[in-house]
Amino acid sequence: MTESDSPLIRKNKTKYLTRVINKRMAAIGQALGIGNISIYTARHSFATVLERSGANIAYISESLGHQDLKTTENYLASFEREEREKCRIID
């Protein structure tokens, strides 16, 4: 990306790069036998490891690029809901 790129061009470049990275990560996940992984999976894992290791929510928020702590709180809460749902499905 360059500074002269319009917001639409930046968005399109980001979408393309994300798609390319996700395809490669999926191939790696399949090769390792751990299933489909993606940028979302990596971001989720990063935030979860920070939270479980006792990192300050402000640090997690900054690391994820969130402008508001509430966004980070909601993001982390969504993981907890997902985990509870997984446990219900298994039981």
Side-chain angles (χ1 to χ4, degrees):
M1 280 190 241
T2 65
E3 288 184 31
S4 62
D5 287 346
S6 72
L8 181 59
I9 290 176
R10 285 177 178 259
K11 180 180 178 180
N12 287 337
K13 285 182 177 181
T14 300
K15 284 174 69 174
Y16 173 77
L17 184 59
T18 300
R19 193 172 326 130
V20 169
I21 292 169
N22 280 338
K23 282 184 180 181
R24 296 220 175 141
M25 288 182 73
I28 291 168
Q30 294 302 319
L32 294 174
I34 58 174
N36 191 19
I37 57 175
S38 66
I39 288 174
Y40 175 78
T41 310
R43 186 175 171 85
H44 176 124
S45 297
F46 174 72
T48 302
V49 167
L50 285 176
E51 181 185 36
R52 290 182 180 167
S53 67
N56 183 299
I57 187 102
Y59 176 75
I60 298 171
S61 184
E62 182 181 339
S63 297
L64 294 174
H66 295 161
Q67 299 295 322
D68 185 356
L69 287 180
K70 206 65 166 153
T71 303
T72 307
E73 290 169 355
N74 291 334
Y75 188 74
L76 295 171
S78 72
F79 300 158
E80 292 169 14
R81 282 190 298 275
E82 287 176 19
E83 286 301 312
R84 283 194 304 271
E85 286 299 316
K86 286 180 189 173
C87 289
R88 271 191 233 140
I89 291 169
I90 293 171
D91 289 342

